[in-house]
Amino acid sequence: MTVVKSPLPEPARQVTFDALQGTLVDLLGLSLIGKQAHWNIVGPRFRSIHLQLDEVVAAARSYADTVAERAAALGLPPDGRPETIASAFTLPGPKDGWVRDEEVVQVIAEALSTAIGRLRERITATETADPVTQDLLIGLTAELEKQRWMFEAENWPQES
């Protein structure tokens, strides 16, 4: 078996692995809760939110692949197995069954906010450990912040 050697020294290797693995779990979980909401949303804003959820899921899946491949390139084996995601995932998600459109907006905005907060911590952690990974996390954060903004704009108070 060939093992990919990491160009990073310890403890930079561990800091980087923790950041990438935690991000992978968040992204794979986010894609799952996005699809769950996508399938079960009801209400007058069904179509627009249904389509916006597809954008979140596509971004999460694309970045999950990029994050996992970054880890592998550094000799850090990514773990996206279902049991790993199920045991480590802690972002908020939708309730079981049909979910009203305003509830979907709220829970997805909250999940994105939580993921963004964690990403910002990982950006700080990887600044010295691995600036290349930090750059990846910065780009991902920008995308998730854009998605969060779009969901939060859905809940803008309407004037009477």
Side-chain angles (χ1 to χ4, degrees):
M1 179 169 101
T2 304
V3 176
V4 178
K5 296 202 184 269
S6 178
L8 301 177
E10 283 298 331
R13 183 178 181 274
Q14 188 62 50
V15 168
T16 303
F17 176 74
D18 291 345
L20 290 168
Q21 182 61 36
T23 301
L24 181 62
V25 167
D26 284 351
L27 289 170
L28 292 174
L30 185 61
S31 74
L32 293 172
I33 64 171
K35 271 303 181 186
Q36 181 67 22
H38 174 87
W39 297 321
N40 289 286
I41 186 174
V42 293
R45 296 182 296 166
F46 164 83
R47 181 153 175 76
S48 64
I49 297 169
H50 181 81
L51 295 173
Q52 184 63 34
L53 287 164
D54 274 340
E55 290 185 30
V56 170
V57 169
R61 287 179 176 168
S62 177
Y63 270 101
D65 190 52
T66 302
V67 164
E69 288 176 353
R70 175 70 186 153
L74 294 174
L76 308 166
D79 188 353
R81 296 172 299 156
E83 59 270 24
T84 300
I85 306 310
S87 68
F89 184 72
T90 60
L91 294 177
K95 66 180 184 179
D96 187 27
W98 304 117
V99 186
R100 296 280 311 164
D101 51 6
E102 65 269 3
E103 293 174 57
V104 168
V105 168
Q106 182 178 356
V107 75
I108 296 299
E110 185 180 339
L112 287 165
S113 291
T114 302
I116 290 162
R118 292 178 187 168
L119 278 164
R120 289 189 166 275
E121 291 171 3
R122 294 171 186 143
I123 288 167
T124 300
T126 56
E127 180 178 10
T128 301
D130 184 24
V132 176
T133 294
Q134 182 194 43
D135 185 59
L136 170 63
L137 298 178
I138 289 169
L140 167 57
T141 302
E143 176 62 29
L144 294 186
E145 286 177 342
K146 180 181 87 172
Q147 295 295 334
R148 182 195 62 202
W149 158 61
M150 291 182 179
F151 276 94
E152 287 180 348
E154 287 280 347
N155 274 341
W156 189 260
Q158 301 203 0
E159 295 185 32
S160 307

